[in-house]
Amino acid sequence: MRVAIVTETYLPFTDGVATRLLATLAELARLRQDVLVLAPDGGPASYAGFPVVGFPGRPFFVYPDKRVIWPRPRMLGLLRRFHPDVIHTVNPAVFGAGAAIAAKVLGVPLVASYHTHFAHYARHYGYGALQRPIWAYMRMLHNQAAINLCTSAATQEELARHGFRRLRLWPPGVDTRLFRPVPPDPALRLRFTGGVPGRTVLLYVGRLASEKGIERLLPLVREDAGLNLVLVGDGPARARLQELFAGTPAVFTGYLHGEDLVAAYAAADAFIFPSTTETLGLVVLEALACGLPVLTARAAPAAALVGQAGLVYEPRDPASLADTLHRFRTEPGLRERLAAAARSQRPAAGWEGPTRTLLACYEEAMRRAPAGRVQPEPSGGG
């Protein structure tokens, strides 16, 4: 199959969307598909053996390390020469709108995957009044696709409520050859505890951004003398968060990848996930694959991921998190039971299953939308 992927996110940017995209490209290469990637420039010109054509953009004023990529006529020419069987727009917003136009012009079925709650983010950046028009724009854009992929059942249900159509679940994967339980590194553990034995280390992995809710952890770190917080990642809120957490036992590591990230999971006592804006929470699955208990805010879909391997707290109630942490520390055998549950519910190895699901969705799109025409459905969801 010849697949053109048009993505708003690519290296060197790091987030869950990029993680899924790169893992999927590697699996598509293993399955001997033919792929062309159109992406923001600044990353490698090929990945997994597939050509990546970069397009310049401008920093988004609200989120400077994300860039707005405007569609260009060059996109249409590249796609025409590649002659794809299907066009997949990943996290479409602006650049992805060009993919939708190109699909219509070329008569090629369009698949769109939804990864980011842009409307939810607007509230965190002082643009709450734009939530309704953002939902309307995203609905209009996605409903041009023959298939709309959702990264979790909770997201699929929410999109259906907002009038998105032809919805299908694209399940996640985790590289369990990499993310696995390993013994903690004593030197890293010493760094995370500030050299004080017996302290509890909570680990956060992800973007350092307003919508992640990290600042809600500040009262806990300030008031709990036995707690250290380790923040792995980077983002537009890093400087503000470092100032906010100054004088507390909080460690900012920047991005960690590969075995360094696995070592960070192993050196912590629990994974903390305060975000309430996620469409999945891939890092939760990574933590579980490493056998690390999870403390997560009560918000779908992350709270549904932890099962018996974690505890759920109310995100806007500081006492709820403090009580949850106290229970984690003091209830006899709880930490061991949660860790055992995390190890037992490790996800299936690799990304082959999710990628085969993706290919099946591509094939459905080709059947559903011959010559790029989306057939209407009588119902509002799929």
Side-chain angles (χ1 to χ4, degrees):
M1 187 182 300
R2 296 177 66 80
V3 181
I5 294 179
V6 179
T7 178
E8 313 254 357
T9 301
Y10 184 57
L11 295 172
F13 191 83
T14 300
D15 64 1
V17 183
T19 297
R20 180 187 285 257
L21 172 63
L22 300 180
T24 299
L25 289 174
E27 194 61 32
L28 288 172
R30 194 186 68 81
L31 295 173
R32 299 184 180 278
Q33 307 302 307
D34 195 358
V35 179
L36 169 69
V37 181
L38 308 186
D41 62 8
S46 66
Y47 193 88
F50 299 134
V52 179
V53 181
F55 286 74
R58 293 183 175 274
F60 186 37
F61 71 99
V62 172
Y63 211 111
D65 53 351
K66 288 283 285 184
R67 288 180 295 155
V68 177
I69 314 297
W70 293 100
R72 291 171 169 79
R74 178 183 176 219
M75 173 190 290
L76 185 61
L78 288 165
L79 293 171
R80 179 178 281 118
R81 287 191 292 275
F82 180 66
H83 195 65
D85 297 309
V86 64
I87 296 173
H88 177 181
T89 176
V90 176
N91 216 26
V94 180
F95 196 42
I101 294 169
K104 286 185 178 181
V105 171
L106 299 176
V108 176
L110 179 71
V111 170
S113 52
Y114 184 98
H115 302 264
T116 303
H117 282 316
F118 292 110
H120 293 309
Y121 281 23
R123 184 176 67 252
H124 290 273
Y125 289 93
Y127 295 92
L130 296 179
Q131 288 185 89
R132 182 172 292 182
I134 290 173
W135 275 121
Y137 172 75
M138 298 303 294
R139 179 172 56 246
M140 177 275 297
L141 180 55
H142 274 268
N143 282 350
Q144 297 179 55
I147 296 292
N148 281 300
L149 301 170
C150 308
T151 58
S152 67
T155 298
Q156 185 174 356
E157 292 170 4
E158 182 170 10
L159 294 186
R161 289 195 300 271
H162 282 278
F164 289 58
R165 305 182 67 185
R166 297 174 290 277
L167 302 171
R168 301 294 181 268
L169 181 63
W170 181 16
V174 174
D175 183 358
T176 50
R177 292 170 298 181
L178 173 63
F179 295 105
R180 67 208 188 279
V182 299
D185 178 348
L188 187 60
R189 175 73 186 182
L190 194 66
R191 177 190 174 197
F192 285 177
T193 61
V196 182
R199 296 181 71 89
T200 298
V201 175
L202 293 185
L203 177 74
Y204 167 87
V205 178
R207 302 285 298 160
L208 303 185
S210 175
E211 69 275 6
K212 301 300 184 180
I214 300 168
E215 66 279 357
R216 295 187 190 129
L217 304 178
L218 180 60
L220 193 68
V221 181
R222 275 182 174 166
E223 298 165 11
D224 191 325
L227 178 68
N228 281 33
L229 176 65
V230 177
L231 299 159
V232 175
D234 210 335
R238 178 169 180 170
R240 180 178 63 83
L241 288 171
Q242 285 181 313
E243 182 178 351
L244 195 64
F245 282 84
T248 72
V251 177
F252 290 79
T253 71
Y255 283 123
L256 297 176
H257 301 281
E259 294 292 348
D260 291 336
L261 180 54
V262 174
Y265 283 124
D269 295 297
F271 186 75
I272 183 73
F273 196 72
S275 177
T276 59
T277 61
E278 304 301 313
T279 60
L280 177 64
L282 192 59
V283 288
V284 172
L285 293 178
E286 292 176 356
L288 294 174
C290 291
L292 188 62
V294 175
L295 310 182
T296 182
R298 187 181 300 281
L305 296 176
V306 302
Q308 300 300 309
L311 302 175
V312 178
Y313 67 90
E314 300 301 329
R316 291 171 179 81
D317 180 3
S320 176
L321 176 54
D323 291 345
T324 300
L325 182 60
H326 177 74
R327 180 188 169 200
F328 174 75
R329 284 165 154 170
T330 60
E331 185 174 314
L334 177 60
R335 185 180 310 193
E336 292 74 17
R337 291 197 302 273
L338 295 177
R343 291 191 295 270
S344 68
Q345 70 180 54
R346 295 180 79 223
W351 286 85
E352 179 178 354
T355 305
R356 289 194 181 277
T357 297
L358 177 65
L359 289 171
C361 289
Y362 290 164
E363 292 169 356
E364 181 185 353
M366 293 165 64
R367 294 192 303 270
R368 176 183 289 278
R373 297 174 60 86
V374 175
Q375 302 302 315
E377 286 188 351
S379 62

